[in-house]
Amino acid sequence: MRMRILLYAMLFFLLPVEAVADAPLTAAFVRDHQLWIKTGDQEIQVTKGRFVQSPKWSYDGRFIAYIDGDEQGEKSNLFIYDTHEKESFQPYQIETSDYKWSPIKNQLAYNSHGVLNVTKMKDGRPKGFENVALGVSGFEWFPNGREFIVSSQSSLRPTGWGPVPLYKIPVTANLDKNKMESFYTIKTREPDLFGIDADFFKWSHDGKWVAFILIPTASWSMDSNTLCVVNNEGKQFQAVGNMLGFKDWMKWAPSENQLAYISGEGRFLVENKKTTIADMPAAIQQKQYTPEGYVDLDLDWYSPDKVIVARSKENKEWDEGPVPTMFTALYAIDLKTDEQTQISHPKKNEFDREPQVVETTITWLRQIGNKTDVWMKKGLDGQEYRWIKGIEEGPVLLDP
């Protein structure tokens, strides 16, 4: 009898752990211009008659913000899908393309024509809005959800471009200029450090550093931008390296102040794109991991000491004509041993890109021609299989 009770007790404690470990992955994605959600093997379409772009989950997974646009790019209306009520609604008539959820509650911040606003709440939903600040270019929430880091584009003067100012602004600023705190001023200088704007802010895991891209003038930025970091007090600034302006080409480690990014200049992806790891606070301590003769074109952290990249052979022979497709496959880089192992195996004329990791599950896009599917595997040594067929955008994974 005692043994039976002990067995039941063991099962009681073990079952919840296994249930959590086996919880199915949930993703929002776009297919046929509509918003879809997939959890495990269950797939549902949640919009009809829209032109959905850029879905983003709220911090608790209840809401998905998205843009209802058009093929001409003339319309950009903000909508929110409520997974509890199973309906879309507009928090207000909002036109934007830059919007971000609070890290601590279901409040949405958005930039509309240079005005930073936040939604109010009504009946548990984001409804209405309040002004925060004018003259805003890029922005991101502070990890505490109470302030924003904000950039404002520099001014062109007879003597050249001025500095790029960063501000720390409380959510409740309500256009009060006395609440706009100067955070850091980037004093640019050609050609060593030049930029007229800053965007794509990303915080380190402990909130001590924020990385962002310093963006020069339009033609220059096609070939090179500067990855920068500044600490959370706005006192320590560092230009880390040169890269293209892809926001997903730089990501913080999950538990260390290490920044992985794809370094290199030149708008074409055929050469000079190297996975690089920079340790904070001294960003001069950097190491490249891409072998000679190869380029890395996407990345994500798998664990504190492993990075997954999308890798292809260089194509230095190309000189003119249509830009060649780079047939990438996924590789895992062990930062401790320098061992590098191919972990996905696309067939001829297929290529893998945009790896994403949630716990130990890896997803990526596999493309052939204009057809794109989402593939998945559990762990580095797991069996790869197709998870979602035929997508246009996504998947945006819900982090448990």
Side-chain angles (χ1 to χ4, degrees):
M1 183 65 179
R2 184 177 299 173
M3 182 63 72
R4 186 178 299 173
I5 293 173
L6 180 61
L7 179 60
Y8 287 159
M10 291 174 63
L11 288 173
F12 178 80
F13 285 108
L14 285 173
L15 281 174
V17 176
E18 292 177 357
V20 172
D22 295 334
L25 196 62
T26 296
F29 64 95
V30 179
R31 175 194 288 146
D32 300 326
H33 307 313
Q34 304 309 312
L35 179 63
W36 295 67
I37 299 175
K38 184 158 189 173
T39 300
D41 296 327
Q42 184 180 9
E43 189 175 281
I44 57 171
Q45 180 179 343
V46 300
T47 65
K48 291 183 179 180
R50 301 196 182 279
F51 197 96
V52 174
Q53 300 169 320
S54 304
K56 297 180 182 181
W57 289 100
S58 62
Y59 88 106
D60 63 355
R62 175 175 173 178
F63 299 105
I64 304 172
Y66 64 90
I67 293 299
D68 181 21
D70 57 22
E71 291 190 34
Q72 293 74 35
E74 297 175 353
K75 188 173 76 167
S76 186
N77 297 324
L78 180 65
F79 279 78
I80 298 175
Y81 178 74
D82 186 339
T83 63
H84 288 187
E85 302 297 330
K86 302 190 184 316
E87 64 178 7
S88 290
F89 66 95
Q90 287 185 281
Y92 199 78
Q93 291 185 343
I94 296 167
E95 186 175 287
T96 183
S97 60
D98 187 8
Y99 51 99
K100 300 175 178 74
W101 287 102
S102 164
I104 63 169
K105 59 183 177 180
N106 287 326
Q107 186 175 32
L108 196 62
Y110 62 93
N111 186 344
S112 181
H113 305 289
V115 182
L116 179 61
N117 302 300
V118 291
T119 56
K120 298 188 286 188
M121 293 295 289
K122 183 179 180 181
D123 300 326
R125 284 178 161 189
K127 273 287 188 179
F129 73 95
E130 291 180 343
N131 300 132
V132 179
L134 305 175
V136 172
S137 182
F139 78 95
E140 183 56 88
W141 294 84
F142 267 75
N144 62 17
R146 296 193 296 269
E147 297 101 12
F148 296 105
I149 182 170
V150 165
S151 65
S152 190
Q153 188 171 348
S154 67
S155 300
L156 182 59
R157 301 161 180 161
T159 54
W161 288 97
V164 179
L166 304 181
Y167 298 91
K168 182 178 181 179
I169 301 176
V171 175
T172 56
N174 198 23
L175 305 184
D176 184 347
K177 63 182 182 180
N178 296 315
K179 295 182 178 180
M180 313 298 172
E181 177 186 341
S182 178
F183 184 69
Y184 187 83
T185 300
I186 306 168
K187 297 178 181 179
T188 63
R189 55 191 181 277
E190 297 184 49
D192 299 325
L193 180 66
F194 175 61
I196 64 170
D197 209 348
D199 205 351
F200 311 127
F201 297 94
K202 293 185 180 182
W203 290 96
S204 61
H205 79 102
D206 58 3
K208 291 183 177 180
W209 295 90
V210 61
F212 59 92
I213 296 178
L214 181 65
I215 305 166
T217 49
S219 59
W220 191 335
S221 68
M222 292 291 291
D223 288 303
S224 183
N225 303 264
T226 306
L227 175 62
C228 303
V229 294
V230 63
N231 76 333
N232 60 1
E233 296 178 344
K235 295 180 179 178
Q236 291 180 265
F237 171 85
Q238 177 76 53
V240 178
N242 295 322
M243 61 177 289
L244 295 187
F246 300 134
K247 62 185 176 68
D248 290 329
W249 277 23
M250 54 102 164
K251 294 181 180 178
W252 288 101
S255 59
E256 299 289 341
N257 285 329
Q258 289 182 305
L259 187 59
Y261 72 104
I262 297 177
S263 63
E265 298 179 298
R267 69 188 65 187
F268 302 115
L269 308 182
V270 295
E271 62 178 332
N272 190 31
K273 306 295 178 286
K274 306 293 185 181
T275 294
T276 307
I277 307 295
D279 294 315
M280 300 300 127
I284 55 174
Q285 297 177 5
Q286 300 191 35
K287 181 176 179 179
Q288 290 188 350
Y289 287 87
T290 308
E292 289 296 322
Y294 290 84
V295 290
D296 290 342
L297 303 179
D298 276 309
L299 58 77
D300 199 7
W301 288 86
Y302 178 77
S303 68
D305 55 10
K306 290 184 175 65
V307 174
I308 295 174
V309 300
R311 177 171 293 168
S312 173
K313 290 184 177 180
E314 287 184 339
N315 190 343
K316 290 185 176 181
E317 291 76 21
W318 176 79
D319 184 46
E320 60 182 357
V323 181
T325 299
M326 305 301 287
F327 290 98
T328 47
L330 301 189
Y331 285 75
I333 304 173
D334 190 315
L335 305 184
K336 290 185 176 180
T337 66
D338 285 350
E339 182 181 359
Q340 308 200 20
T341 308
Q342 185 172 344
I343 62 168
S344 79
H345 298 85
K347 297 178 182 178
K348 185 178 180 181
N349 296 326
E350 296 178 336
F351 60 97
D352 293 345
R353 59 187 177 89
E354 297 185 25
Q356 296 185 69
V357 179
V358 174
E359 295 180 343
T360 59
T361 299
I362 309 164
T363 70
W364 66 92
L365 300 183
R366 176 162 291 174
Q367 186 170 341
I368 179 169
N370 295 322
K371 177 187 173 186
T372 304
D373 300 327
V374 181
W375 283 63
M376 172 189 287
K377 67 187 302 185
K378 301 291 182 67
L380 297 175
D381 300 321
Q383 181 68 36
E384 64 181 58
Y385 62 94
R386 185 173 63 189
W387 184 40
I388 303 175
K389 183 178 180 180
I391 74 163
E392 296 167 8
E393 186 179 345
V396 185
L397 303 177
L398 179 60
D399 229 334

